Amino acid sequence: MMETERSDRMKLVTVIGARPQIVKAAALSREICRHPDLNEIIVHTGQHFDANMSAVHFETMQLRPPDYNLNISSLSHGAMTGRMLEAIERVLLAEKPDYVVVYGDTNSTIPAALAAKKLFMPVVHIEAGLRSFNMRMPEEINRILTDRISDLLFCPTETAVRNLENEGYRNFDCEIHKSGDIMQDAALHYSQIAAERSTIIADLDLDRFIFCTIHRPENTDDPSRLASIIDALNAINRDVPILLPLHPRTRKILTERGVTPRFRVTEPVGYLDALQLLKHCSLVVTDSGGLQKEAFFFGKHCVTLRDETEWLELVELGFNVLAGADPESIHAAATRMLDKTSDFTLDLYGRGRAAENIVTCLREHYCRTH
Ligand code: UD1
């Protein structure tokens, strides 16, 4: 395309890097593509690089390959953040976007926001306002710092808006919008495709099962917490079979410590397979942020292997239980949630219209400011 044509269009640079960000960016990109006046450049930091953590997601989500691949991964937090900051700044200087779009709370989010802010490029934070109130989580640090330097903050929930208001954000030079949760957009759209294409339920011969994931450093890096969780899962597995697709870091740690779970473990699964697992499971047991909500989207209860959550509304309304890492609490919570019935029709996350809301706000903002 000619440079003159391009310059008439509103240009976004989207920065992603970790598995869930690919899912979220795909949902927004589908909406962006419907507007010829928008031009999106995709930058992948490389944070997640295994085929089943990254490339597979691009294919199944029909997200076009990134325009830039920075190949930065497997480093300490400081080194990863530092190298990303430098590399993203170079891309932004070359692309000169009107907006820089970042997602969530990962080590790819904060360097993108920081590089953009220091170049006076407006930062758009999707999934703003979430808080666990646990400053020992790298994600909590990433999300608080990103929120503070963002210009447009898109909150998935009312709780997230309230968190920002409580921190005085109405006095800051930024806009706060409640957009709904973009992961619900993705779940609604891709679950139909998953039903047609994924064969995981038949392939693994699954009937009644619990869908489990573990990857948070607070669980994996603390030997006693990890051992307690595995013990609890071994016990639950005697009643209802557990299926655990393993994040590469958790696998590495279990192997190093010589721990062999007595339940079924697989490689990480693609997004479509994950959606089918959510649809067919009896319960979700996880320490993932995203999966807690996805359980709700698919009408499933969740037991969360953490002491706090960013999705408080699910706990308050009884869809989710925080069980920490204590084997007895986990077992008791799983037993209780397996028997429970709830009404999952409540609209907590915007019913799949987040991408549309975000693009509408961005276009209005662009018209107002250009
Ligand atoms: C990151 C995010 C977390 C998010 C999660 C989703 C941060 C601080 N955390 O955690 O919020 O919920 O992604 O999955 O950004 N590794 C591989 N192959 C991969 C990816 C990772 O082997 O494709 C290994 C590497 O040794 C790497 C380690 O896992 O150093 C940790 O990965 P990293 O991306 O730092 O954090 P996650 O635990 O995935």
Side-chain angles (χ1 to χ4, degrees):
M1 189 171 292
M2 282 169 58
E3 203 49 44
T4 46
E5 263 177 76
R6 266 194 155 196
S7 61
D8 293 340
R9 300 161 75 196
M10 169 177 148
K11 187 173 188 178
L12 311 166
V13 164
T14 295
V15 182
I16 53 181
R19 180 168 54 169
Q21 293 171 326
I22 301 169
V23 174
K24 294 165 198 167
L28 192 69
S29 284
R30 266 191 321 113
E31 180 63 26
I32 289 173
C33 287
R34 296 182 39 219
H35 299 272
D37 56 325
L38 304 187
N39 172 26
E40 184 185 31
I41 303 290
I42 297 175
V43 180
H44 188 343
T45 61
Q47 181 173 348
H48 284 171
F49 53 94
D50 283 356
N52 52 17
M53 298 286 281
S54 185
V56 164
H57 289 266
F58 274 89
E59 282 157 32
T60 50
M61 314 282 309
Q62 294 153 330
L63 180 63
R64 68 180 167 79
D67 299 280
Y68 294 86
N69 213 322
L70 307 179
N71 295 315
I72 301 166
S73 64
S74 296
L75 295 163
S76 67
H77 283 262
M80 200 190 304
T81 312
R83 289 199 200 161
M84 285 180 189
L85 181 62
E86 191 178 1
I88 293 167
E89 183 182 57
R90 264 199 300 274
V91 173
L92 297 182
L93 284 169
E95 292 291 343
K96 301 184 180 53
D98 298 299
Y99 297 92
V100 178
V101 181
V102 300
Y103 291 89
D105 55 21
T106 75
N107 286 346
S108 299
T109 311
I110 180 67
L114 190 52
K117 190 66 177 176
K118 293 218 173 159
L119 293 170
F120 307 114
M121 293 171 181
V123 180
V124 178
H125 188 200
I126 297 175
E127 272 200 333
L130 296 175
R131 297 290 182 266
S132 67
F133 303 101
N134 174 1
M135 283 304 276
R136 291 188 57 79
M137 279 178 76
E139 291 83 359
E140 183 77 351
I141 302 166
N142 290 339
R143 61 170 81 101
I144 288 176
L145 297 181
T146 302
D147 277 344
R148 186 61 190 86
I149 56 175
S150 291
D151 298 274
L152 287 129
L153 295 116
F154 288 104
C155 299
T157 58
E158 198 52 53
T159 314
V161 173
R162 255 199 326 271
N163 287 338
L164 294 177
E165 287 173 348
N166 290 342
E167 291 172 24
Y169 272 66
R170 291 287 179 204
N171 301 317
F172 300 162
D173 187 14
C174 62
E175 283 184 20
I176 301 171
H177 299 277
K178 185 178 140 194
S179 57
D181 184 4
I182 198 145
M183 278 190 92
Q184 188 162 30
D185 298 29
L188 288 174
H189 177 75
Y190 291 101
S191 64
Q192 288 166 16
I193 301 171
E196 288 160 20
R197 293 211 206 135
S198 164
T199 56
I200 193 161
I201 302 297
D203 292 349
L204 298 183
D205 196 17
L206 294 167
D207 183 18
R208 190 165 189 244
F209 69 99
I210 295 173
F211 178 19
C212 180
T213 72
I214 313 169
H215 81 276
R216 291 252 160 239
E218 74 212 55
N219 287 331
T220 56
D221 298 0
D222 176 336
S224 72
R225 271 186 87 98
L226 187 60
S228 291
I229 290 172
I230 300 291
D231 278 353
L233 298 176
N234 284 337
I236 296 167
N237 186 61
R238 287 198 282 270
D239 303 326
V240 183
I242 287 184
L243 178 75
L244 173 69
L246 253 194
H247 185 286
R249 190 159 47 77
T250 317
R251 179 179 291 278
K252 193 164 152 246
I253 291 169
L254 288 175
T255 309
E256 279 166 9
R257 298 202 192 129
V259 179
T260 314
R262 291 199 296 274
F263 47 85
R264 201 162 177 191
V265 166
T266 67
E267 290 297 311
V269 292
Y271 183 59
L272 297 185
D273 287 341
L275 293 180
Q276 280 298 89
L277 293 177
L278 282 160
K279 202 160 164 187
H280 291 273
C281 70
S282 302
L283 178 70
V284 173
V285 176
T286 188
D287 62 7
S288 151
L291 218 59
Q292 294 172 48
K293 259 176 318 159
E294 288 172 319
F296 174 80
F297 301 157
F298 288 90
K300 302 299 155 75
H301 290 108
C302 182
V303 174
T304 298
L305 305 169
R306 288 175 54 193
D307 302 319
E308 73 280 306
T309 181
E310 298 76 17
W311 310 103
L312 257 191
E313 56 285 335
L314 292 177
V315 175
E316 283 166 2
L317 295 166
F319 299 109
N320 186 4
V321 176
L322 293 176
D326 173 59
E328 268 143 46
S329 314
I330 298 170
H331 200 172
T335 309
R336 188 152 49 87
M337 293 309 243
L338 276 164
D339 285 339
K340 192 171 178 179
T341 47
S342 297
D343 174 9
F344 286 90
T345 55
L346 269 179
D347 177 13
L348 298 176
Y349 298 104
R351 297 205 197 282
R353 306 197 62 162
E356 196 185 318
N357 292 337
I358 291 167
V359 168
T360 303
C361 279
L362 280 178
R363 293 174 83 219
E364 280 171 15
H365 187 271
Y366 185 76
C367 289
R368 256 188 285 128
T369 54
H370 286 76

